[in-house]
Amino acid sequence: TQLLEQSPQFLSIQEGENLTVYCNSSSVFSSLQWYRQEPGEGPVLLVTVVTGGEVKKLKRLTFQFGDARKDSSLHITAAQPGDTGLYLCAGPNTGNQFYFGTGTSLTVIP
Amino acid sequence: GAVVSQHPSRVICKSGTSVKIECRSLDFQATTMFWYRQFPKQSLMLMATSNEGSKATYEQGVEKDKFLINHASLTLSTLTVTSAHPEDSSFYICSARDARAGGDEQYFGPGTRLTVT
């Protein structure tokens, strides 16, 4: 069961452009994580958001957790080719399972 | 810290054989490990949750007799794909939760590419 829907599913942009990826759910999460995955590798944790309304910044990446803790967004400013990858949000349910969003495949063209 | 390894990184096997994949937490104790499966260009699908010393909890639609999971210690979980078929070819990823940290974060292994011929 996919509890987390991401949009867009695919995104191809030019270097220097800005973009936002959304992660939405009808369920409340105690926390949400964002990962980036490159082909043939495991996901790498970027950030964890815990508090509703929380905003975290990681260089050119800005993460926000919705006030109701049902959604999150990832904004990248001035995208670079090195930002290319699969971006995944993920969160735990009440049963200790950990579910991933549907994923957003980002390609940044030089 | 919080490093998870998987072995092997790639494996090719013939249809009908069994393959074992190991997942180790190298510098922390993991009371819970998770096994995921991923197809190209798609997200990770949770297969099962493995708790040390107890039976794994499988997600709906995952055959427990086909995907055998053992979590015998706080640093090792294994996934055995029994009687593998070409449709089992996939990227298998494990993750581990740091028991001491107490949070929701998981640390992922580098994945194992399984090809069944």
Side-chain angles (χ1 to χ4, degrees):
Chain A
T1 302
Q2 285 286 12
L3 302 176
L4 293 163
E5 294 287 334
Q6 286 183 238
S7 61
Q9 185 178 359
F10 298 97
L11 189 56
S12 181
I13 62 171
Q14 295 289 329
E15 181 177 359
E17 292 184 353
N18 302 331
L19 66 114
T20 302
V21 177
Y22 298 94
C23 173
N24 295 298
S25 175
S26 58
S27 303
V28 175
F29 285 85
S30 59
S31 67
L32 280 180
Q33 288 79 43
W34 283 93
Y35 294 83
R36 191 180 106 196
Q37 185 185 25
E38 300 197 16
E41 300 181 9
V44 174
L45 178 67
L46 297 174
V47 78
T48 299
V49 286
V50 179
T51 306
E54 181 178 9
V55 176
K56 282 191 173 179
K57 291 192 175 184
L58 185 65
K59 295 184 180 178
R60 293 177 293 100
L61 278 61
T62 302
F63 304 86
Q64 186 164 6
F65 201 11
D67 291 340
R69 291 185 288 127
K70 292 183 178 181
D71 55 85
S72 182
S73 64
L74 158 61
H75 182 78
I76 301 179
T77 303
Q80 304 292 315
D83 296 328
T84 294
L86 180 66
Y87 288 82
L88 299 158
C89 64
N93 72 355
T94 55
N96 196 39
Q97 286 87 15
F98 202 76
Y99 293 100
F100 278 84
T102 46
T104 296
S105 179
L106 170 66
T107 303
V108 181
I109 303 167
Chain B
V3 178
V4 176
S5 70
Q6 278 184 244
H7 178 80
S9 58
R10 292 176 180 270
V11 58
I12 300 173
C13 70
K14 292 186 177 181
S15 186
T17 62
S18 295
V19 174
K20 179 184 284 188
I21 302 170
E22 293 186 349
C23 176
R24 294 180 185 272
S25 57
L26 299 184
D27 50 1
F28 66 99
Q29 293 182 330
T31 52
T32 305
M33 288 185 171
F34 302 86
W35 286 95
Y36 296 85
R37 181 174 183 174
Q38 185 178 33
F39 293 105
K41 301 277 188 184
Q42 294 186 22
S43 186
L44 282 71
M45 296 298 294
L46 180 65
M47 297 176 67
T49 302
S50 171
N51 293 298
E52 186 264 339
S54 63
K55 291 183 178 181
T57 302
Y58 290 82
E59 294 298 298
Q60 189 174 6
V62 178
E63 299 176 60
K64 62 180 181 179
D65 294 329
K66 181 169 185 60
F67 298 99
L68 300 178
I69 293 172
N70 183 276
H71 192 163
S73 77
L74 284 172
T75 59
L76 173 65
S77 177
T78 61
L79 167 67
T80 301
V81 183
T82 63
S83 186
H85 289 92
E87 58 265 31
D88 297 324
S89 298
S90 189
F91 193 51
Y92 292 88
I93 306 174
C94 73
S95 70
R97 181 174 290 168
D98 189 337
R100 297 164 302 175
D104 296 328
E105 295 173 357
Q106 297 186 37
Y107 300 94
F108 286 82
T112 297
R113 173 74 59 193
L114 170 63
T115 303
V116 184
T117 60

Short mmCIF file of all heavy atoms in Angstrom, two decimals, chain A residues 1-2 6 9-10 30-31 33 35 37 40-43 45 48 86 88 92 96-103 105, chain B residues 32 34 36 38 41-46 49 51 57 59-60 91 93 95 97 104-111 113:
data_model
loop_
_atom_site.label_atom_id
_atom_site.label_comp_id
_atom_site.label_asym_id
_atom_site.label_seq_id
_atom_site.Cartn_x
_atom_site.Cartn_y
_atom_site.Cartn_z
N THR A 1 0.84 -1.19 0.00
CA THR A 1 0.00 0.00 0.00
C THR A 1 0.88 1.24 0.00
O THR A 1 1.74 1.39 0.85
CB THR A 1 -0.89 0.06 1.24
OG1 THR A 1 -1.69 -1.10 1.30
CG2 THR A 1 -1.78 1.29 1.18
N GLN A 2 0.67 2.11 -1.01
CA GLN A 2 1.44 3.33 -1.08
C GLN A 2 0.67 4.40 -0.33
O GLN A 2 -0.35 4.89 -0.77
CB GLN A 2 1.65 3.74 -2.55
CG GLN A 2 2.69 2.92 -3.27
CD GLN A 2 4.11 3.27 -2.83
OE1 GLN A 2 4.33 3.96 -1.84
NE2 GLN A 2 5.09 2.79 -3.55
N GLN A 6 3.88 11.09 -4.46
CA GLN A 6 4.77 12.17 -4.84
C GLN A 6 4.42 12.72 -6.20
O GLN A 6 3.94 12.01 -7.07
CB GLN A 6 6.22 11.67 -4.87
CG GLN A 6 6.82 11.45 -3.50
CD GLN A 6 8.27 11.02 -3.57
OE1 GLN A 6 8.63 9.97 -3.07
NE2 GLN A 6 9.11 11.86 -4.18
N GLN A 9 6.10 12.81 -11.02
CA GLN A 9 6.78 11.52 -11.05
C GLN A 9 8.11 11.64 -11.77
O GLN A 9 9.09 11.01 -11.38
CB GLN A 9 5.90 10.49 -11.74
CG GLN A 9 6.47 9.08 -11.71
CD GLN A 9 5.55 8.06 -12.36
OE1 GLN A 9 4.46 8.40 -12.83
NE2 GLN A 9 5.97 6.81 -12.39
N PHE A 10 8.12 12.44 -12.83
CA PHE A 10 9.34 12.68 -13.59
C PHE A 10 9.50 14.18 -13.80
O PHE A 10 8.51 14.90 -13.99
CB PHE A 10 9.30 11.98 -14.96
CG PHE A 10 9.21 10.48 -14.88
CD1 PHE A 10 7.98 9.84 -14.99
CD2 PHE A 10 10.35 9.72 -14.70
CE1 PHE A 10 7.91 8.45 -14.91
CE2 PHE A 10 10.28 8.34 -14.61
CZ PHE A 10 9.05 7.70 -14.72
N SER A 30 4.37 10.84 12.13
CA SER A 30 5.16 11.39 13.23
C SER A 30 6.41 12.08 12.71
O SER A 30 6.93 13.00 13.35
CB SER A 30 5.55 10.28 14.20
OG SER A 30 6.30 9.28 13.53
N SER A 31 6.88 11.65 11.57
CA SER A 31 8.02 12.27 10.92
C SER A 31 8.03 11.87 9.46
O SER A 31 7.39 10.88 9.08
CB SER A 31 9.34 11.84 11.57
OG SER A 31 9.58 10.46 11.33
N GLN A 33 10.90 11.55 6.13
CA GLN A 33 12.28 11.64 5.69
C GLN A 33 12.32 11.85 4.18
O GLN A 33 11.42 11.42 3.47
CB GLN A 33 13.04 10.35 6.02
CG GLN A 33 13.35 10.15 7.50
CD GLN A 33 12.17 9.65 8.28
OE1 GLN A 33 11.47 8.76 7.83
NE2 GLN A 33 11.95 10.20 9.46
N TYR A 35 14.93 11.20 0.92
CA TYR A 35 16.13 10.49 0.48
C TYR A 35 16.41 10.84 -0.97
O TYR A 35 15.51 11.18 -1.73
CB TYR A 35 15.93 8.98 0.57
CG TYR A 35 15.78 8.43 1.97
CD1 TYR A 35 14.54 8.46 2.62
CD2 TYR A 35 16.86 7.88 2.64
CE1 TYR A 35 14.39 7.94 3.89
CE2 TYR A 35 16.73 7.36 3.92
CZ TYR A 35 15.49 7.40 4.53
OH TYR A 35 15.35 6.89 5.80
N GLN A 37 18.38 8.88 -4.23
CA GLN A 37 18.96 7.61 -4.65
C GLN A 37 19.51 7.74 -6.06
O GLN A 37 18.85 8.27 -6.95
CB GLN A 37 17.90 6.50 -4.61
CG GLN A 37 18.45 5.12 -4.93
CD GLN A 37 17.36 4.07 -4.99
OE1 GLN A 37 16.20 4.38 -5.25
NE2 GLN A 37 17.72 2.81 -4.75
N GLY A 40 21.57 2.06 -9.00
CA GLY A 40 22.43 1.00 -8.51
C GLY A 40 22.92 1.18 -7.09
O GLY A 40 23.78 0.42 -6.63
N GLU A 41 22.39 2.16 -6.39
CA GLU A 41 22.81 2.40 -5.02
C GLU A 41 21.60 2.47 -4.10
O GLU A 41 20.47 2.60 -4.54
CB GLU A 41 23.60 3.71 -4.93
CG GLU A 41 24.86 3.72 -5.78
CD GLU A 41 25.64 5.00 -5.65
OE1 GLU A 41 25.30 5.82 -4.78
OE2 GLU A 41 26.59 5.19 -6.43
N GLY A 42 21.87 2.38 -2.79
CA GLY A 42 20.80 2.53 -1.83
C GLY A 42 20.45 3.99 -1.61
O GLY A 42 21.23 4.89 -1.95
N PRO A 43 19.28 4.27 -1.06
CA PRO A 43 18.89 5.66 -0.78
C PRO A 43 19.79 6.28 0.28
O PRO A 43 20.21 5.60 1.22
CB PRO A 43 17.45 5.53 -0.27
CG PRO A 43 17.00 4.17 -0.65
CD PRO A 43 18.22 3.33 -0.68
N LEU A 45 19.92 9.31 3.09
CA LEU A 45 19.07 10.23 3.84
C LEU A 45 19.53 11.68 3.66
O LEU A 45 20.71 12.00 3.84
CB LEU A 45 19.09 9.86 5.32
CG LEU A 45 18.27 10.75 6.26
CD1 LEU A 45 16.78 10.61 5.97
CD2 LEU A 45 18.57 10.40 7.71
N THR A 48 15.33 14.75 7.96
CA THR A 48 14.14 14.28 8.68
C THR A 48 13.40 15.50 9.20
O THR A 48 14.01 16.38 9.81
CB THR A 48 14.52 13.38 9.85
OG1 THR A 48 15.20 12.23 9.37
CG2 THR A 48 13.28 12.92 10.60
N LEU A 86 16.84 10.03 -8.03
CA LEU A 86 15.48 9.68 -7.62
C LEU A 86 15.28 10.21 -6.20
O LEU A 86 16.02 9.83 -5.29
CB LEU A 86 15.27 8.17 -7.67
CG LEU A 86 13.88 7.65 -7.27
CD1 LEU A 86 12.84 8.10 -8.27
CD2 LEU A 86 13.90 6.12 -7.18
N LEU A 88 12.97 10.51 -2.90
CA LEU A 88 11.96 9.71 -2.23
C LEU A 88 11.63 10.30 -0.87
O LEU A 88 12.53 10.62 -0.10
CB LEU A 88 12.46 8.27 -2.02
CG LEU A 88 12.81 7.48 -3.27
CD1 LEU A 88 13.78 6.36 -2.95
CD2 LEU A 88 11.55 6.91 -3.90
N PRO A 92 7.17 6.52 8.77
CA PRO A 92 6.75 5.33 9.50
C PRO A 92 5.25 5.34 9.75
O PRO A 92 4.64 6.40 9.94
CB PRO A 92 7.50 5.47 10.82
CG PRO A 92 7.57 6.95 11.04
CD PRO A 92 7.66 7.58 9.67
N ASN A 96 5.21 0.31 12.95
CA ASN A 96 6.67 0.17 12.86
C ASN A 96 7.15 -0.10 11.44
O ASN A 96 8.34 -0.30 11.23
CB ASN A 96 7.17 -0.94 13.80
CG ASN A 96 8.67 -0.86 14.03
OD1 ASN A 96 9.24 0.23 14.17
ND2 ASN A 96 9.33 -2.00 14.05
N GLN A 97 6.24 -0.17 10.47
CA GLN A 97 6.69 -0.29 9.10
C GLN A 97 7.06 1.09 8.57
O GLN A 97 6.64 2.11 9.09
CB GLN A 97 5.60 -0.90 8.20
CG GLN A 97 5.38 -2.37 8.38
CD GLN A 97 4.41 -2.68 9.48
OE1 GLN A 97 3.69 -1.81 9.93
NE2 GLN A 97 4.41 -3.91 9.94
N PHE A 98 7.87 1.06 7.53
CA PHE A 98 8.40 2.29 6.97
C PHE A 98 8.09 2.28 5.49
O PHE A 98 8.54 1.39 4.77
CB PHE A 98 9.91 2.30 7.21
CG PHE A 98 10.53 3.66 7.16
CD1 PHE A 98 10.38 4.54 8.21
CD2 PHE A 98 11.29 4.05 6.08
CE1 PHE A 98 10.97 5.79 8.18
CE2 PHE A 98 11.88 5.30 6.04
CZ PHE A 98 11.72 6.17 7.09
N TYR A 99 7.33 3.27 5.02
CA TYR A 99 6.88 3.25 3.65
C TYR A 99 7.44 4.41 2.86
O TYR A 99 7.60 5.52 3.37
CB TYR A 99 5.35 3.28 3.59
CG TYR A 99 4.72 2.02 4.12
CD1 TYR A 99 4.21 1.98 5.40
CD2 TYR A 99 4.67 0.87 3.34
CE1 TYR A 99 3.65 0.81 5.90
CE2 TYR A 99 4.12 -0.29 3.83
CZ TYR A 99 3.60 -0.32 5.11
OH TYR A 99 3.06 -1.47 5.61
N PHE A 100 7.72 4.13 1.60
CA PHE A 100 8.26 5.14 0.70
C PHE A 100 7.18 5.72 -0.19
O PHE A 100 6.19 5.08 -0.51
CB PHE A 100 9.36 4.53 -0.18
CG PHE A 100 10.68 4.47 0.51
CD1 PHE A 100 10.99 3.41 1.34
CD2 PHE A 100 11.61 5.48 0.35
CE1 PHE A 100 12.20 3.36 2.00
CE2 PHE A 100 12.82 5.44 1.00
CZ PHE A 100 13.11 4.39 1.83
N GLY A 101 7.40 6.96 -0.57
CA GLY A 101 6.55 7.58 -1.57
C GLY A 101 6.79 6.98 -2.93
O GLY A 101 7.69 6.14 -3.12
N THR A 102 6.01 7.43 -3.87
CA THR A 102 6.07 6.88 -5.23
C THR A 102 7.31 7.31 -5.99
O THR A 102 7.63 6.74 -7.01
CB THR A 102 4.82 7.30 -6.01
OG1 THR A 102 4.59 8.70 -5.81
CG2 THR A 102 3.61 6.53 -5.52
N GLY A 103 8.00 8.33 -5.50
CA GLY A 103 9.28 8.72 -6.09
C GLY A 103 9.17 9.80 -7.14
O GLY A 103 8.17 9.89 -7.87
N SER A 105 11.68 11.22 -10.19
CA SER A 105 12.95 11.09 -10.91
C SER A 105 13.31 12.44 -11.52
O SER A 105 12.61 12.95 -12.39
CB SER A 105 12.81 10.04 -12.01
OG SER A 105 14.02 9.91 -12.73
N THR B 32 15.67 -3.76 14.45
CA THR B 32 14.74 -3.91 13.34
C THR B 32 15.45 -3.67 12.03
O THR B 32 16.17 -2.68 11.88
CB THR B 32 13.56 -2.93 13.46
OG1 THR B 32 12.93 -3.10 14.72
CG2 THR B 32 12.54 -3.18 12.36
N PHE B 34 14.70 -3.90 7.67
CA PHE B 34 13.64 -3.92 6.67
C PHE B 34 14.21 -4.40 5.35
O PHE B 34 15.34 -4.07 4.99
CB PHE B 34 13.04 -2.52 6.49
CG PHE B 34 12.48 -1.92 7.75
CD1 PHE B 34 13.31 -1.23 8.62
CD2 PHE B 34 11.14 -2.05 8.06
CE1 PHE B 34 12.79 -0.67 9.79
CE2 PHE B 34 10.62 -1.49 9.21
CZ PHE B 34 11.44 -0.80 10.08
N TYR B 36 13.46 -4.36 1.20
CA TYR B 36 12.71 -3.71 0.14
C TYR B 36 13.09 -4.32 -1.20
O TYR B 36 14.18 -4.86 -1.38
CB TYR B 36 13.02 -2.21 0.09
CG TYR B 36 12.62 -1.42 1.30
CD1 TYR B 36 13.46 -1.34 2.41
CD2 TYR B 36 11.41 -0.75 1.34
CE1 TYR B 36 13.11 -0.61 3.53
CE2 TYR B 36 11.05 -0.01 2.46
CZ TYR B 36 11.90 0.05 3.54
OH TYR B 36 11.53 0.78 4.64
N GLN B 38 12.96 -3.16 -5.41
CA GLN B 38 12.81 -2.00 -6.27
C GLN B 38 12.99 -2.38 -7.73
O GLN B 38 14.00 -3.00 -8.10
CB GLN B 38 13.83 -0.92 -5.89
CG GLN B 38 13.67 0.39 -6.66
CD GLN B 38 14.68 1.43 -6.20
OE1 GLN B 38 15.80 1.10 -5.84
NE2 GLN B 38 14.27 2.69 -6.24
N LYS B 41 13.33 2.54 -12.19
CA LYS B 41 12.59 3.80 -12.24
C LYS B 41 11.41 3.84 -11.27
O LYS B 41 10.55 4.71 -11.40
CB LYS B 41 12.06 4.06 -13.66
CG LYS B 41 13.14 4.12 -14.72
CD LYS B 41 13.79 5.47 -14.78
CE LYS B 41 14.73 5.55 -15.97
NZ LYS B 41 15.45 6.85 -16.00
N GLN B 42 11.34 2.90 -10.35
CA GLN B 42 10.24 2.89 -9.40
C GLN B 42 10.74 3.06 -7.97
O GLN B 42 11.94 2.99 -7.71
CB GLN B 42 9.45 1.58 -9.51
CG GLN B 42 8.74 1.41 -10.84
CD GLN B 42 7.85 0.18 -10.85
OE1 GLN B 42 7.45 -0.32 -9.80
NE2 GLN B 42 7.53 -0.30 -12.03
N SER B 43 9.80 3.30 -7.08
CA SER B 43 10.14 3.49 -5.68
C SER B 43 10.41 2.15 -5.00
O SER B 43 10.29 1.09 -5.62
CB SER B 43 9.00 4.21 -4.97
OG SER B 43 9.34 4.53 -3.64
N LEU B 44 10.78 2.22 -3.73
CA LEU B 44 11.03 1.01 -2.96
C LEU B 44 9.72 0.47 -2.40
O LEU B 44 8.91 1.21 -1.86
CB LEU B 44 11.98 1.31 -1.79
CG LEU B 44 13.45 1.45 -2.09
CD1 LEU B 44 13.77 2.71 -2.85
CD2 LEU B 44 14.26 1.38 -0.80
N MET B 45 9.56 -0.84 -2.53
CA MET B 45 8.37 -1.49 -1.99
C MET B 45 8.78 -2.34 -0.80
O MET B 45 9.63 -3.23 -0.92
CB MET B 45 7.71 -2.37 -3.05
CG MET B 45 7.16 -1.60 -4.23
SD MET B 45 5.87 -0.43 -3.78
CE MET B 45 4.59 -1.55 -3.23
N LEU B 46 8.19 -2.07 0.36
CA LEU B 46 8.52 -2.83 1.55
C LEU B 46 8.06 -4.28 1.39
O LEU B 46 6.90 -4.53 1.06
CB LEU B 46 7.86 -2.19 2.77
CG LEU B 46 8.10 -2.87 4.11
CD1 LEU B 46 9.58 -2.80 4.49
CD2 LEU B 46 7.26 -2.22 5.20
N THR B 49 9.36 -6.75 7.47
CA THR B 49 10.03 -6.14 8.62
C THR B 49 10.59 -7.27 9.47
O THR B 49 9.87 -8.21 9.83
CB THR B 49 9.04 -5.31 9.45
OG1 THR B 49 8.46 -4.32 8.61
CG2 THR B 49 9.73 -4.64 10.62
N ASN B 51 12.53 -8.39 12.91
CA ASN B 51 12.93 -8.05 14.27
C ASN B 51 13.84 -9.14 14.82
O ASN B 51 13.55 -10.34 14.67
CB ASN B 51 11.71 -7.89 15.17
CG ASN B 51 10.88 -6.69 14.79
OD1 ASN B 51 11.35 -5.56 14.85
ND2 ASN B 51 9.65 -6.92 14.39
N THR B 57 7.73 -10.00 9.75
CA THR B 57 6.37 -9.62 9.37
C THR B 57 6.38 -9.26 7.90
O THR B 57 7.07 -8.33 7.49
CB THR B 57 5.90 -8.40 10.19
OG1 THR B 57 5.94 -8.73 11.57
CG2 THR B 57 4.47 -8.04 9.80
N GLU B 59 4.71 -8.11 4.23
CA GLU B 59 3.67 -7.27 3.65
C GLU B 59 2.72 -8.12 2.82
O GLU B 59 3.08 -9.21 2.34
CB GLU B 59 4.30 -6.17 2.79
CG GLU B 59 5.11 -5.18 3.59
CD GLU B 59 4.28 -4.43 4.61
OE1 GLU B 59 3.34 -3.71 4.20
OE2 GLU B 59 4.56 -4.57 5.81
N GLN B 60 1.55 -7.60 2.65
CA GLN B 60 0.53 -8.32 1.88
C GLN B 60 1.04 -8.58 0.47
O GLN B 60 1.59 -7.70 -0.18
CB GLN B 60 -0.75 -7.49 1.84
CG GLN B 60 -1.93 -8.22 1.25
CD GLN B 60 -3.22 -7.41 1.36
OE1 GLN B 60 -3.19 -6.26 1.78
NE2 GLN B 60 -4.33 -8.01 0.99
N PHE B 91 16.15 -5.32 -7.74
CA PHE B 91 17.14 -4.70 -6.86
C PHE B 91 16.59 -4.83 -5.44
O PHE B 91 15.51 -4.33 -5.14
CB PHE B 91 17.32 -3.24 -7.26
CG PHE B 91 18.52 -2.56 -6.67
CD1 PHE B 91 19.77 -3.13 -6.75
CD2 PHE B 91 18.39 -1.33 -6.05
CE1 PHE B 91 20.89 -2.48 -6.22
CE2 PHE B 91 19.50 -0.68 -5.51
CZ PHE B 91 20.75 -1.26 -5.60
N ILE B 93 17.02 -4.15 -1.44
CA ILE B 93 17.70 -3.22 -0.53
C ILE B 93 17.25 -3.50 0.90
O ILE B 93 16.06 -3.69 1.15
CB ILE B 93 17.38 -1.76 -0.87
CG1 ILE B 93 17.70 -1.47 -2.34
CG2 ILE B 93 18.14 -0.80 0.03
CD1 ILE B 93 17.27 -0.08 -2.77
N SER B 95 17.48 -2.14 5.06
CA SER B 95 17.75 -0.99 5.90
C SER B 95 17.70 -1.42 7.35
O SER B 95 17.14 -2.47 7.67
CB SER B 95 16.75 0.14 5.64
OG SER B 95 15.48 -0.21 6.13
N ARG B 97 17.37 0.06 11.53
CA ARG B 97 17.07 1.15 12.45
C ARG B 97 18.00 1.02 13.65
O ARG B 97 18.14 -0.04 14.22
CB ARG B 97 15.61 1.09 12.86
CG ARG B 97 15.18 2.20 13.81
CD ARG B 97 13.69 2.14 14.05
NE ARG B 97 12.95 2.52 12.87
CZ ARG B 97 11.63 2.33 12.73
NH1 ARG B 97 10.94 1.78 13.69
NH2 ARG B 97 11.02 2.71 11.62
N ASP B 104 13.04 7.58 14.11
CA ASP B 104 12.45 6.85 13.01
C ASP B 104 13.41 6.63 11.85
O ASP B 104 13.07 5.99 10.87
CB ASP B 104 11.22 7.61 12.48
CG ASP B 104 10.12 7.69 13.53
OD1 ASP B 104 10.00 6.74 14.33
OD2 ASP B 104 9.39 8.69 13.55
N GLU B 105 14.60 7.17 11.95
CA GLU B 105 15.49 7.12 10.80
C GLU B 105 16.01 5.72 10.54
O GLU B 105 16.25 4.95 11.46
CB GLU B 105 16.67 8.08 11.02
CG GLU B 105 16.22 9.54 11.07
CD GLU B 105 17.34 10.47 11.45
OE1 GLU B 105 18.44 9.97 11.72
OE2 GLU B 105 17.10 11.68 11.46
N GLN B 106 16.17 5.45 9.26
CA GLN B 106 16.72 4.18 8.84
C GLN B 106 17.96 4.44 8.00
O GLN B 106 18.08 5.49 7.37
CB GLN B 106 15.73 3.41 8.00
CG GLN B 106 14.46 3.03 8.72
CD GLN B 106 13.59 2.15 7.85
OE1 GLN B 106 14.08 1.32 7.10
NE2 GLN B 106 12.31 2.34 7.96
N TYR B 107 18.82 3.47 8.00
CA TYR B 107 20.05 3.56 7.21
C TYR B 107 20.04 2.40 6.23
O TYR B 107 19.78 1.27 6.62
CB TYR B 107 21.26 3.55 8.13
CG TYR B 107 21.22 4.72 9.08
CD1 TYR B 107 20.68 4.57 10.34
CD2 TYR B 107 21.67 5.98 8.70
CE1 TYR B 107 20.59 5.65 11.22
CE2 TYR B 107 21.59 7.06 9.56
CZ TYR B 107 21.05 6.88 10.82
OH TYR B 107 20.95 7.95 11.67
N PHE B 108 20.33 2.73 4.99
CA PHE B 108 20.16 1.77 3.92
C PHE B 108 21.47 1.15 3.46
O PHE B 108 22.51 1.81 3.43
CB PHE B 108 19.47 2.43 2.73
CG PHE B 108 18.02 2.67 2.97
CD1 PHE B 108 17.60 3.78 3.68
CD2 PHE B 108 17.08 1.76 2.53
CE1 PHE B 108 16.25 3.99 3.94
CE2 PHE B 108 15.73 1.96 2.79
CZ PHE B 108 15.32 3.08 3.49
N GLY B 109 21.37 -0.11 3.08
CA GLY B 109 22.49 -0.76 2.44
C GLY B 109 22.58 -0.31 0.99
O GLY B 109 21.68 0.36 0.48
N PRO B 110 23.66 -0.70 0.31
CA PRO B 110 23.88 -0.29 -1.08
C PRO B 110 23.06 -1.09 -2.08
O PRO B 110 23.06 -0.77 -3.27
CB PRO B 110 25.37 -0.54 -1.28
CG PRO B 110 25.68 -1.65 -0.32
CD PRO B 110 24.79 -1.44 0.87
N GLY B 111 22.35 -2.12 -1.62
CA GLY B 111 21.50 -2.88 -2.53
C GLY B 111 22.19 -4.09 -3.13
O GLY B 111 23.43 -4.16 -3.20
N ARG B 113 21.75 -6.46 -6.64
CA ARG B 113 21.10 -6.65 -7.93
C ARG B 113 21.03 -8.15 -8.20
O ARG B 113 22.04 -8.80 -8.37
CB ARG B 113 21.89 -5.97 -9.03
CG ARG B 113 21.40 -6.25 -10.45
CD ARG B 113 20.13 -5.52 -10.77
NE ARG B 113 20.29 -4.09 -10.65
CZ ARG B 113 19.27 -3.24 -10.63
NH1 ARG B 113 18.03 -3.68 -10.72
NH2 ARG B 113 19.50 -1.95 -10.52
#
